[in-house]
């Protein structure tokens, strides 16, 4: 038998090939992790807009809420179903109420990057605020009465159809004596167009004693209308009668719309 000798150098490339395959497999397995971290933690246009203007961002059923991502000013709201939805609504109402400095505060809810109206959320929050001894006015300045009729029905269901003098009370009902046309009530767009209208012509009492409502009117309220003199007058008059005014604003898909709002 002859003793084997080795000079310390590999005569084949199997060692280098194994090392290359090992590092390639590591990169292949870790790539989805890094890609997921980048995708879920990247700043969306809504996050960027909220950060730029210092706005609180409310997320509902998004990746950020499911991953419990903590961001400055972000409020996470679960879907409106069961006790969890009611608890999250009450918690949101409590946080908003604690952040107010004085009565007569105007809070504008505006959707970012989508067209879904926030009036449904506002109606539920108004009921929560009313349970906490607040006088609440719901102002739908982002949609017409026809678009919000089904949502506003939750506030008016069971209220009298007309007052004793024949004045309409419920904008969500259809007047049977007018061939299916909607009842003649005034909204935000009507107030902006007609100087002779006053706040008393717009406010409608709901079935909740501490909640009143002003719908959007027949025509869609323009974005510029919220920055007009008439809208300022309406809000200033509301401050003297209500402790909290919840406004459903129009959709803001660009930073210009947010700045105008």
């Amino acid at each position: 038998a002859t003793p084997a000798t080795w000079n310390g150098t590999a005569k084949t490339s199997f060692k280098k090939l194994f090392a290359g395959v090992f590092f390639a497999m590591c990169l292949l397995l870790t790539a989805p992790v890094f890609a997921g971290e980048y995708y879920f933690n990247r700043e969306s246009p809504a996050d960027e807009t909220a950060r730029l203007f210092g706005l609180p961002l409310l997320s509902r059923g998004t990746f950020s809420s499911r991953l419990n991502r903590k961001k400055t000013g972000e409020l996470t709201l679960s879907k409106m179903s069961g006790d969890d939805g009611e608890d999250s609504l009450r918690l949101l109402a409590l946080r908003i109420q604690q952040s107010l400095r004085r009565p007569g505060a105007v809070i504008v809810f505006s959707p970012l990057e989508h067209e879904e109206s926030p009036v449904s959320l506002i109606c539920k929050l108004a009921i929560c605020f009313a349970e906490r001894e607040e006088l609440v006015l719901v102002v739908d300045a982002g949609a017409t009465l026809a678009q919000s009729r089904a949502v506003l029905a939750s506030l008016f269901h069971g209220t009298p159809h007309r007052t004793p003098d024949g004045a309409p009370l419920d904008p969500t009902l259809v007047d049977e004596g007018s061939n299916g046309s909607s009842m003649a009530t005034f909204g935000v767009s009507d107030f902006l167009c007609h100087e002779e209208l006053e706040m008393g012509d717009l406010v409608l009492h709901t079935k909740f004693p501490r909640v009143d409502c002003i719908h959007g009117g027949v025509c869609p309220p323009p974005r510029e209308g919220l920055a007009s003199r008439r809208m300022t007058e309406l809000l200033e008059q509301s401050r003297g009668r209500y402790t909290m005014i919840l406004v459903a604003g129009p959709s803001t898909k660009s930073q210009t719309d947010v700045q105008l709002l």
Side-chain angles (χ1 to χ4, degrees):
T2 305
T5 59
W6 181 51
N7 59 2
T9 59
K11 296 183 179 180
T12 62
S13 59
F14 288 113
K15 183 178 179 181
K16 297 180 180 178
L17 180 62
F18 175 78
V21 172
F22 176 78
F23 284 111
M25 291 296 295
C26 291
L27 291 176
L28 184 63
L29 293 176
T30 56
V33 178
F34 288 106
E37 285 290 330
Y38 170 76
Y39 178 78
F40 291 124
N41 292 294
R42 64 176 179 172
E43 190 175 47
S44 66
D47 297 324
E48 181 182 358
T49 303
R51 177 180 54 79
L52 179 62
F53 291 94
L55 302 174
L57 186 63
L58 180 67
S59 59
R60 221 176 101 189
T62 59
F63 283 109
S64 60
S65 63
R66 288 202 296 267
L67 295 176
N68 294 323
R69 183 176 56 180
K70 304 298 182 181
K71 285 201 171 185
T72 304
E74 182 176 357
L75 306 177
T76 302
L77 183 66
S78 61
K79 293 185 177 180
M80 306 292 182
S81 60
D83 296 335
D84 292 339
E86 295 179 0
D87 292 340
S88 60
L89 275 173
R90 290 190 176 93
L91 179 60
L92 177 61
L94 177 62
R95 293 185 62 178
I96 293 176
Q97 193 177 34
Q98 290 176 343
S99 65
L100 300 180
R101 298 297 182 184
R102 57 185 176 84
V106 179
I107 307 174
V108 181
F109 292 78
S110 183
L112 291 174
E113 300 179 342
H114 58 83
E115 296 289 346
E116 181 182 0
S117 175
V119 67
S120 176
L121 172 65
I122 290 178
C123 291
K124 295 180 176 66
L125 283 176
I127 300 173
C128 295
F129 286 130
E131 295 174 350
R132 302 181 63 84
E133 303 300 324
E134 296 282 355
L135 293 175
V136 187
L137 176 64
V138 176
V139 181
D140 186 8
T144 62
L145 173 59
Q147 295 171 337
S148 304
R149 188 185 300 273
V151 178
L152 295 178
S154 61
L155 296 179
F156 292 92
H157 181 68
T159 56
H161 194 182
R162 289 183 180 274
T163 59
D165 58 352
L169 274 180
D170 191 345
T172 64
L173 298 178
V174 176
D175 195 352
E176 298 177 356
S178 59
N179 297 325
S181 62
S182 60
M183 301 175 66
T185 55
F186 298 105
V188 175
S189 60
D190 306 304
F191 183 81
L192 297 178
C193 297
H194 303 284
E195 292 284 343
E196 63 274 9
L197 288 179
E198 298 180 355
M199 180 180 173
D201 301 323
L202 309 180
V203 176
L204 297 169
H205 303 292
T206 67
K207 67 178 181 179
F208 301 96
R210 307 181 70 88
V211 179
D212 291 341
C213 176
I214 299 178
H215 61 76
V218 179
C219 302
R223 287 180 172 85
E224 294 79 3
L226 290 178
S228 63
R229 173 185 56 84
R230 289 284 287 169
M231 195 66 188
T232 302
E233 294 177 357
L234 178 62
L235 295 179
E236 288 301 325
Q237 294 176 17
S238 303
R239 290 179 188 272
R241 298 176 56 179
Y242 301 93
T243 59
M244 192 173 298
I245 300 98
L246 308 180
V247 182
S251 176
T252 52
K253 289 193 173 184
S254 63
Q255 295 184 356
T256 306
D257 294 335
V258 179
Q259 192 169 8
L260 178 61
L261 184 61

